[in-house]
Amino acid sequence: MAALPLADWRDFYVTIGTASGAIVGASFIVATLAANLKERTTGLRGFVTPTAVHLGSVLVGSAILTVPTLTSLSLGILLGTGGIGGTIYGLVVAARIWKMRLDLADRACYVVLPILAYAAIGAAALIERWAVTPALDTLAISFVVILILGMRNAWDMATFMITRDLDK
């Protein structure tokens, strides 16, 4: 099979992958700050770990999409697996934190939008079989959404840690 026309997207995926890798590093700092919380398990499993997983997904996905010999079949399999896996993981996270008293923005950014973005990645796997350009556009939008959510959620957790310490 011939390689996909991803050359035009290479700089995009290198840039977004680099950004997600940097934010993953920052998330580890937040995880270190969270280590002193009494409700550590819920915080780590419901907020810190999912944020690291989402950013790691962008990093790994970007790395895969810069492979010069990526075929249509391998792209479809990898995207489908990642999209389905991410959607299922998002549902698991939702079950962990949905009963917590979160505002609408937190529910959207920690639960709803990640699930939709991963479902769009899975849809891109199906679309790719018939129309490569719309699939790559859908994939790019999904990765940007996940990256922005990762940045927002890492910031949200950091500010929570800072303000929590100030309220004592």
Side-chain angles (χ1 to χ4, degrees):
M1 287 188 148
L4 290 170
L6 287 170
D8 294 340
W9 289 93
R10 184 170 175 75
D11 289 344
F12 171 80
Y13 286 111
V14 167
T15 302
I16 198 167
T18 301
S20 66
I23 300 166
V24 166
S27 295
F28 290 139
I29 294 169
V30 173
T32 301
L33 294 172
N36 294 328
L37 286 176
K38 290 178 186 173
E39 59 276 356
R40 176 177 40 214
T41 303
T42 301
L44 286 173
R45 294 178 67 209
F47 301 103
V48 178
T49 301
T51 299
V53 167
H54 300 326
L55 292 167
S57 296
V58 173
L59 178 62
V60 170
S62 295
I64 289 168
L65 287 161
T66 59
V67 173
T69 57
L70 191 64
T71 64
S72 180
L73 178 62
S74 61
L75 178 63
I77 291 169
L78 292 169
L79 289 180
T81 303
I84 291 168
T87 302
I88 292 169
Y89 183 68
L91 294 170
V92 169
V93 170
R96 288 179 185 155
I97 67 172
W98 196 256
K99 292 181 182 178
M100 298 174 78
R101 291 183 298 169
L102 301 175
D103 61 19
L104 184 59
D106 284 341
R107 286 186 190 277
C109 293
Y110 284 106
V111 177
V112 177
L113 292 175
I115 291 170
L116 293 175
Y118 283 113
I121 292 170
L126 295 174
I127 296 168
E128 185 275 329
R129 302 300 296 160
W130 297 281
V132 173
T133 301
L136 294 176
D137 291 342
T138 301
L139 184 60
I141 291 167
S142 299
F143 276 22
V144 168
V145 167
I146 294 170
L147 178 62
I148 290 169
L149 290 171
M151 291 185 316
R152 183 262 178 212
N153 293 347
W155 180 254
D156 181 62
M157 290 181 289
T159 57
F160 172 77
M161 296 297 152
I162 292 167
T163 58
R164 181 188 62 82
D165 288 341
L166 292 176
D167 290 338
K168 286 184 177 178

Tab-separated table of all heavy atoms in Angstrom, residues 8 28-29 43 53-54 68 71 74 81-82 86 94 123 130 136-138 143 163 168:
chain	number	residue	atom	x	y	z
A	8	ASP	N	2.104	17.264	4.225
A	8	ASP	CA	1.625	18.619	4.496
A	8	ASP	C	1.253	18.814	5.964
A	8	ASP	O	1.176	19.948	6.426
A	8	ASP	CB	0.405	18.943	3.629
A	8	ASP	CG	0.738	19.009	2.152
A	8	ASP	OD1	1.929	19.181	1.818
A	8	ASP	OD2	-0.189	18.885	1.332
A	28	PHE	N	2.915	16.416	35.645
A	28	PHE	CA	3.588	15.640	36.681
A	28	PHE	C	3.873	16.502	37.906
A	28	PHE	O	3.862	16.012	39.034
A	28	PHE	CB	4.869	15.002	36.155
A	28	PHE	CG	4.615	13.892	35.173
A	28	PHE	CD1	5.395	13.756	34.039
A	28	PHE	CD2	3.588	12.978	35.369
A	28	PHE	CE1	5.163	12.737	33.131
A	28	PHE	CE2	3.342	11.958	34.466
A	28	PHE	CZ	4.138	11.835	33.342
A	29	ILE	N	4.117	17.776	37.687
A	29	ILE	CA	4.305	18.691	38.816
A	29	ILE	C	3.001	18.803	39.597
A	29	ILE	O	2.997	18.771	40.828
A	29	ILE	CB	4.791	20.067	38.322
A	29	ILE	CG1	6.195	19.923	37.725
A	29	ILE	CG2	4.777	21.095	39.459
A	29	ILE	CD1	6.679	21.129	36.965
A	43	GLY	N	-8.743	12.199	43.270
A	43	GLY	CA	-8.097	13.274	42.525
A	43	GLY	C	-7.178	12.754	41.440
A	43	GLY	O	-7.198	13.239	40.310
A	53	VAL	N	-3.235	11.196	30.501
A	53	VAL	CA	-3.585	10.251	29.426
A	53	VAL	C	-3.990	11.008	28.166
A	53	VAL	O	-3.555	10.663	27.058
A	53	VAL	CB	-4.714	9.295	29.877
A	53	VAL	CG1	-5.300	8.533	28.702
A	53	VAL	CG2	-4.189	8.325	30.929
A	54	HIS	N	-4.803	12.053	28.308
A	54	HIS	CA	-5.237	12.811	27.130
A	54	HIS	C	-4.052	13.472	26.436
A	54	HIS	O	-3.916	13.401	25.207
A	54	HIS	CB	-6.271	13.868	27.510
A	54	HIS	CG	-7.515	13.308	28.131
A	54	HIS	ND1	-8.057	12.092	27.783
A	54	HIS	CD2	-8.326	13.805	29.085
A	54	HIS	CE1	-9.141	11.861	28.504
A	54	HIS	NE2	-9.327	12.893	29.298
A	68	PRO	N	6.730	8.226	8.191
A	68	PRO	CA	6.648	8.442	6.744
A	68	PRO	C	6.030	7.286	5.950
A	68	PRO	O	5.543	7.489	4.848
A	68	PRO	CB	8.108	8.663	6.329
A	68	PRO	CG	8.925	8.101	7.431
A	68	PRO	CD	8.098	8.152	8.667
A	71	THR	N	0.481	3.600	6.313
A	71	THR	CA	-0.468	3.245	5.249
A	71	THR	C	-1.891	3.559	5.690
A	71	THR	O	-2.159	3.762	6.873
A	71	THR	CB	-0.376	1.744	4.905
A	71	THR	OG1	-0.774	0.989	6.050
A	71	THR	CG2	1.031	1.359	4.459
A	74	SER	N	-3.044	0.866	8.227
A	74	SER	CA	-2.486	1.025	9.574
A	74	SER	C	-3.039	2.272	10.260
A	74	SER	O	-3.304	2.256	11.462
A	74	SER	CB	-0.952	1.057	9.537
A	74	SER	OG	-0.483	2.129	8.764
A	81	THR	N	-8.555	2.102	17.045
A	81	THR	CA	-8.199	1.601	18.370
A	81	THR	C	-8.077	2.737	19.377
A	81	THR	O	-8.620	2.667	20.485
A	81	THR	CB	-6.877	0.810	18.302
A	81	THR	OG1	-7.022	-0.258	17.359
A	81	THR	CG2	-6.486	0.251	19.653
A	82	GLY	N	-7.378	3.802	18.981
A	82	GLY	CA	-7.216	4.954	19.874
A	82	GLY	C	-8.534	5.651	20.169
A	82	GLY	O	-8.809	6.026	21.309
A	86	GLY	N	-10.019	5.589	23.816
A	86	GLY	CA	-10.189	6.882	24.479
A	86	GLY	C	-11.617	7.134	24.907
A	86	GLY	O	-11.875	7.675	25.988
A	94	ALA	N	-15.766	9.349	33.597
A	94	ALA	CA	-17.087	9.931	33.894
A	94	ALA	C	-17.730	9.220	35.070
A	94	ALA	O	-18.291	9.867	35.966
A	94	ALA	CB	-17.987	9.855	32.663
A	123	ALA	N	-14.332	8.117	14.541
A	123	ALA	CA	-15.063	8.410	13.296
A	123	ALA	C	-14.088	8.725	12.167
A	123	ALA	O	-14.315	8.323	11.011
A	123	ALA	CB	-16.021	9.581	13.518
A	130	TRP	N	-12.717	6.327	3.043
A	130	TRP	CA	-13.371	6.857	1.852
A	130	TRP	C	-12.873	8.234	1.449
A	130	TRP	O	-12.895	8.578	0.279
A	130	TRP	CB	-14.889	6.901	2.064
A	130	TRP	CG	-15.446	5.542	2.257
A	130	TRP	CD1	-15.712	4.630	1.276
A	130	TRP	CD2	-15.776	4.908	3.484
A	130	TRP	NE1	-16.187	3.469	1.830
A	130	TRP	CE2	-16.238	3.616	3.200
A	130	TRP	CE3	-15.714	5.309	4.821
A	130	TRP	CZ2	-16.659	2.709	4.169
A	130	TRP	CZ3	-16.123	4.420	5.794
A	130	TRP	CH2	-16.588	3.144	5.456
A	136	LEU	N	-8.375	13.566	7.974
A	136	LEU	CA	-7.228	14.256	8.567
A	136	LEU	C	-7.643	15.580	9.206
A	136	LEU	O	-7.093	15.970	10.236
A	136	LEU	CB	-6.141	14.466	7.511
A	136	LEU	CG	-5.496	13.181	6.978
A	136	LEU	CD1	-4.500	13.504	5.873
A	136	LEU	CD2	-4.849	12.375	8.086
A	137	ASP	N	-8.609	16.262	8.625
A	137	ASP	CA	-9.138	17.489	9.226
A	137	ASP	C	-9.824	17.177	10.560
A	137	ASP	O	-9.609	17.878	11.555
A	137	ASP	CB	-10.133	18.179	8.292
A	137	ASP	CG	-9.481	18.766	7.052
A	137	ASP	OD1	-8.246	18.949	7.050
A	137	ASP	OD2	-10.213	19.034	6.079
A	138	THR	N	-10.640	16.132	10.584
A	138	THR	CA	-11.334	15.715	11.809
A	138	THR	C	-10.332	15.332	12.880
A	138	THR	O	-10.469	15.705	14.054
A	138	THR	CB	-12.275	14.531	11.513
A	138	THR	OG1	-13.222	14.929	10.528
A	138	THR	CG2	-12.992	14.050	12.765
A	143	PHE	N	-7.391	16.419	17.938
A	143	PHE	CA	-6.140	16.552	18.685
A	143	PHE	C	-6.015	17.934	19.313
A	143	PHE	O	-5.574	18.061	20.451
A	143	PHE	CB	-4.946	16.270	17.777
A	143	PHE	CG	-4.610	14.820	17.627
A	143	PHE	CD1	-5.546	13.824	17.865
A	143	PHE	CD2	-3.356	14.428	17.227
A	143	PHE	CE1	-5.235	12.484	17.718
A	143	PHE	CE2	-3.026	13.097	17.082
A	143	PHE	CZ	-3.953	12.121	17.331
A	163	THR	N	-5.078	27.375	45.509
A	163	THR	CA	-6.128	28.003	46.312
A	163	THR	C	-6.522	27.142	47.489
A	163	THR	O	-6.904	27.662	48.540
A	163	THR	CB	-7.380	28.327	45.450
A	163	THR	OG1	-7.867	27.130	44.853
A	163	THR	CG2	-7.040	29.358	44.394
A	168	LYS	N	-6.501	27.093	53.875
A	168	LYS	CA	-6.252	26.399	55.159
A	168	LYS	C	-6.043	27.366	56.280
A	168	LYS	O	-5.553	28.388	56.224
A	168	LYS	CB	-5.054	25.475	55.034
A	168	LYS	CG	-5.377	24.255	54.234
A	168	LYS	CD	-4.190	23.333	54.211
A	168	LYS	CE	-4.529	22.067	53.462
A	168	LYS	NZ	-3.407	21.168	53.382
